[in-house]
Amino acid sequence: MSATFRTLPLIAAVSLATQSLTVGAQQLEEVIVTAQKRAESLQDVPISVSAIQGEKIQDAGIPNMAALADYVPNLHIADAPVNTNIYMRGVGSGNNQGFEQSVGMYIDGVYMGRGRQYRAAFLDVERVEVLRGPQGTLFGRNTVAGAVNITTASARAGDELEGQIMASAESFDGRVLEGFVGGGLTDTLGARLAVKYRETDGFADNTFLGTPEGSIEELSYRLSLNWQPTDDLNVNFKYSQSDYERIGSTTTGKVFLNAAERDQFVPNRSAFANTAYSIMDVFYPGYQEQTGREFEVFKDNGYGRSREDGIGIGINPDSSDNDLTNMVLNVDWQVGELTVTSVTGWSEYQYIDGADVDWLPLQFISRDDDQSFEQFSQEFRIASPGGEFFDYVAGVYFDQSELEFDRQVAIDTNFDGLFPEFLSIVTPGNPPPSVLPQNLLSALTGGAYDMNQVARNHNYQLDSDSFAAFAQGTFNFTDTLRLTVGLRYTEENKDVISTQFLSDQNSGLLNPGDNYFLHLIQANSFNAYAYDYRQDRSTDALTPSFNLQWNVGEDSMLYASFSQGFKSGGFTAADDGNPGDLTPTAFPCVPNPDFTVDLDACYDLSNPNEDFEFGDEEVDAFELGGKHTLLDGGMTLNWALFYTEYTDLQTAIFEGLGFVVKNAAGSEIYGLEVDALWQATDNLRLGANFAYLDASYSDFDDGPCTAIQLDANPNCSIEQGNPLSGEPTLYASDYSASFFFDYIRPVGDMELFVGGEVNYRDAFQSAGDNDPIDVIDSFTKANLRLGLRSGDWEIMAYGRNIFDEEVFMQSYDTPVLAGSHSRYMEESAVWGARLKYSF
């Protein structure tokens, strides 16, 4: 930390020296943001902010927040088969649906705290502001790592009718149709309708099924209304709907141990792992070589050996069907010199996921999620007019949400008929499959328990409400020196019901089963039990912030800030884990004479273990920065140095069978961020940004164990843990950078334009146990576009990831198959053409 902060005088000196340079280049237009709940110039906001305009998002073909993260250093958003991982400066929430995000997203002022909401398509966006570092005072809820502030285009009363339509054709049979129409219906009422449709067959080849993988179809629309009955009252209403469907997923095995490697690294692997490995060896001996092929997958997606027969395990094939709805009513009322603002929000979504979570060409393990979420929020603010000795913003906030999901994890130990066929091949004399055990469970129990499929069924219901009061005031001591002080008080309450039952074919996979062997095997092999937990918790926090801002000359500003933030604790949504009366994988219950079991007589189903509840996360953040307008308005240069300490960091780590939730003791993060934009000539604009990040656990000696450590000692996580102190946090690249250019040249009555980006990200760890196998290598992605425009029309050709670099979002243990790892791929090279017409 000290070495980094000693560079501050040098950076400041260079910045101050360069402000005197003048070049006769065209000036940059002013960028307006609302990072402090006021419309202000980006260069006047003493926060590390990246602002991406809607036109840039449209021209670069950025479909959603996950793709936008490539353009913002120190921001990482990675879709995964089940969840979305959002990390800022090496801090995020991980894969547990009981978590709210550490990077809060706000769409038109309404808080979106669930990772699934980040998957909604960009539609008619005016700008996206990425605020780095804790934003606890004005944004509040769970913004301990930062905030994403999205502003969509609005209707405007009294405007003339205008519109736009765009049609694109892309690789992999991709098609995009997008447009809007809007204007004033009367002098006091305006309306705007925006629609977007996108579909693609998917960029990966499933060579097992012979189909493209990861096809997408989505439809989004937004209706906006604006009413301005007087000069003092402005009412905006927006209704948004997004339907998103994905078939298959671009997850594939990338590390698959051969027989010798298994015996070396995981000699104590479970009977389930050993059987799956052995069946793969016999029926798919070339699979290990297959894992080295780029943009290919080799898996059954839940269909087993025959797609024509439909799915053979679970409820849905590998797919995701999402419906998201947002509504916001924003009222601005001028009362004398004060502005009173009301923001009323309603957000809901429902999704149904099926996941072939063994990622193999085997009918083995499936996971099905059916989740719904509803949230109502209300904020009232009052703001002074600005420009006085004391400027202020104050308000109150309330929200209430309900989260519910049903999950089934099913296991097929018949392997769609491969198990008896396998036994026939490896048994001396090769007896026919029909006379051999038909499934692994029958083989393990000597025929006492003959079930092809078993499952665990989990229901989770979380009710949350939050109340906050906040105020931020700025003392303008002089024209060049100001101090901003903020304070927020928050109360949060959560109630949870988490229940689970086990089932098999006798009971029906959707009904509770009481067979002794069912419960014994689920406990011993998967640490899965029946339970009925009902808990509640309340918490409150007082989080201050301080910011000292100094205008050094007319075009340069320096600032120093300190802020605190917190993210409330909650209850894990993982479906595995032993009840509090039992040690992991133990099942001391005694069977009845008919081999049923009375669970209530054996252990307390209502007593969770200590990992069920996780605690609050807290942060202290220090930042020094500067914002400089150089070259007589032709360049901006912004930078920030930061140091952050997190206490009780909330983490969720996949350990091969399920997710473990822990509060890491702490983490220490520091780094540097630089953004530059230069209007080099009237025709050429250049931009670059850079980030250095050092993010590590400061005290985490009981971290989760790797698959190899757990094989050596099944109680590793309980007895000793995996010491991760000093190790990097998740998704924390040491370096990340982005460069872009836009060039325009008149050609007769037309205009030729060329643009592109190069986005670099250094290697990062993507698994919470810091297994070196799960490190994602550094990568560079380049995009390019070329087009002509004239008057109302425009035609453009473009490419994304033009060098076809294979990039991964996440790497993790392949479930059950100890020692093997799977990865989730990002998009390959995509080429396309777009026609746009405006009126």
Side-chain angles (χ1 to χ4, degrees), residues 107-433:
I107 300 179
D108 294 319
V110 177
Y111 171 66
M112 308 283 168
R114 293 283 160 184
R116 190 59 62 125
Q117 293 168 304
Y118 274 77
R119 297 192 181 187
F122 282 145
L123 171 64
D124 203 22
V125 171
E126 184 175 303
R127 72 179 174 277
V128 177
E129 304 164 21
V130 179
L131 288 62
R132 305 182 188 93
Q135 306 296 323
T137 300
L138 293 181
F139 286 90
R141 284 206 66 190
N142 304 325
T143 55
V144 291
V148 175
N149 188 27
I150 299 175
T151 302
T152 64
S154 299
R156 290 182 175 86
D159 281 3
E160 294 183 359
L161 180 70
E162 63 174 344
Q164 187 180 91
I165 186 168
M166 293 179 294
S168 304
E170 296 184 344
S171 313
F172 312 111
D173 288 331
R175 290 175 289 276
V176 183
L177 186 64
E178 181 177 3
F180 75 87
V181 61
L185 303 179
T186 69
D187 290 340
T188 60
L189 182 64
R192 185 181 181 107
L193 177 65
V195 181
K196 180 177 181 179
Y197 175 79
R198 172 177 173 244
E199 66 174 333
T200 176
D201 283 348
F203 60 87
D205 291 327
N206 189 324
T207 52
F208 180 79
L209 294 177
T211 59
E213 193 75 13
S215 66
I216 293 172
E217 183 176 10
E218 60 184 344
L219 174 64
S220 304
Y221 63 90
R222 179 182 301 111
L223 174 64
S224 304
L225 299 173
N226 174 235
W227 182 47
Q228 298 182 33
T230 70
D231 292 340
D232 295 330
L233 184 63
N234 190 346
V235 180
N236 281 285
F237 172 78
K238 295 180 181 180
Y239 174 89
S240 303
Q241 177 71 34
S242 179
D243 299 328
Y244 169 92
E245 183 176 9
R246 169 179 52 79
I247 304 298
S249 67
T250 55
T251 301
T252 181
K254 278 298 178 181
V255 176
F256 187 81
L257 303 184
N258 60 36
E261 291 168 334
R262 284 169 235 155
D263 290 341
Q264 178 182 357
F265 296 114
V266 286
N268 303 308
R269 57 192 177 275
S270 70
F272 286 84
N274 194 57
T275 301
Y277 271 127
S278 299
I279 289 177
M280 288 291 295
D281 291 343
V282 170
F283 293 99
Y284 306 106
Y287 182 75
Q288 190 177 52
E289 185 272 334
Q290 167 75 33
T291 62
R293 299 176 186 172
E294 293 189 351
F295 301 114
E296 285 191 10
V297 302
F298 193 73
K299 55 194 179 76
D300 72 296
N301 285 351
Y303 290 106
R305 291 189 286 177
S306 174
R307 184 165 186 158
E308 288 72 23
D309 295 341
I311 60 170
I313 185 173
I315 304 170
N316 303 285
D318 202 317
S319 60
S320 181
D321 191 352
N322 305 257
D323 298 314
L324 301 95
T325 302
N326 297 321
M327 288 184 285
V328 57
L329 178 65
N330 192 309
V331 180
D332 289 308
W333 183 28
Q334 198 70 26
V335 183
E337 293 186 341
L338 301 178
T339 301
V340 178
T341 299
S342 169
V343 182
T344 306
W346 173 265
S347 178
E348 65 177 355
Y349 67 75
Q350 180 174 4
Y351 71 79
I352 298 174
D353 280 359
D356 174 22
V357 292
D358 55 74
W359 319 125
L360 298 171
L362 300 179
Q363 183 174 298
F364 185 26
I365 310 173
S366 76
R367 170 172 165 166
D368 290 277
D369 278 17
D370 185 344
Q371 181 174 130
S372 62
F373 175 78
E374 295 181 354
Q375 174 188 286
F376 169 80
S377 64
Q378 176 64 58
E379 180 172 281
F380 294 105
R381 296 195 308 270
I382 185 169
S384 65
E388 301 178 345
F389 172 74
F390 181 68
D391 299 327
Y392 63 89
V393 176
V396 293
Y397 174 84
F398 170 78
D399 79 31
Q400 187 174 44
S401 65
E402 297 178 1
L403 171 72
E404 181 175 5
F405 66 80
D406 292 300
R407 175 184 302 146
Q408 182 187 88
V409 177
I411 302 169
D412 187 337
T413 64
N414 171 262
F415 295 90
D416 197 22
L418 287 179
F419 182 78
E421 291 181 25
F422 162 74
L423 289 184
S424 176
I425 292 171
V426 300
T427 301
N430 305 118

Side-chain angles (χ1 to χ4, degrees), residues 18-33:
T18 55
Q19 66 180 301
S20 63
L21 297 174
T22 60
V23 175
Q26 180 176 316
Q27 290 188 348
L28 292 166
E29 69 271 15
E30 187 177 34
V31 177
I32 301 299
V33 297

Side-chain angles (χ1 to χ4, degrees), residues 134 562-565 618-622 643-647:
F562 167 76
S563 61
Q564 290 185 329
E618 298 178 350
V619 57
D620 292 333
F622 303 83
Y643 173 76
T644 312
E645 290 183 342
Y646 286 87
T647 304

Side-chain angles (χ1 to χ4, degrees), residues 650-732:
Q650 297 169 6
T651 61
I653 299 97
F654 186 68
E655 282 195 327
L657 296 178
F659 289 95
V660 176
V661 173
K662 288 180 176 291
N663 282 96
S667 64
E668 186 177 81
I669 298 170
Y670 60 89
L672 168 68
E673 295 158 348
V674 181
D675 289 271
L677 185 62
W678 179 29
Q679 190 70 45
T681 71
D682 288 349
N683 305 104
L684 178 63
R685 176 177 295 186
L686 302 174
N689 51 50
F690 165 82
Y692 166 72
L693 180 66
D694 188 312
S696 60
Y697 298 111
S698 58
D699 183 13
F700 195 17
D701 291 332
D702 60 343
C705 297
T706 67
I708 293 176
Q709 290 172 329
L710 287 166
D711 183 83
N713 178 11
N715 294 321
C716 171
S717 295
I718 304 170
E719 295 177 354
Q720 68 221 40
N722 181 15
L724 296 181
S725 298
E727 294 294 315
T729 63
L730 290 174
Y731 303 105

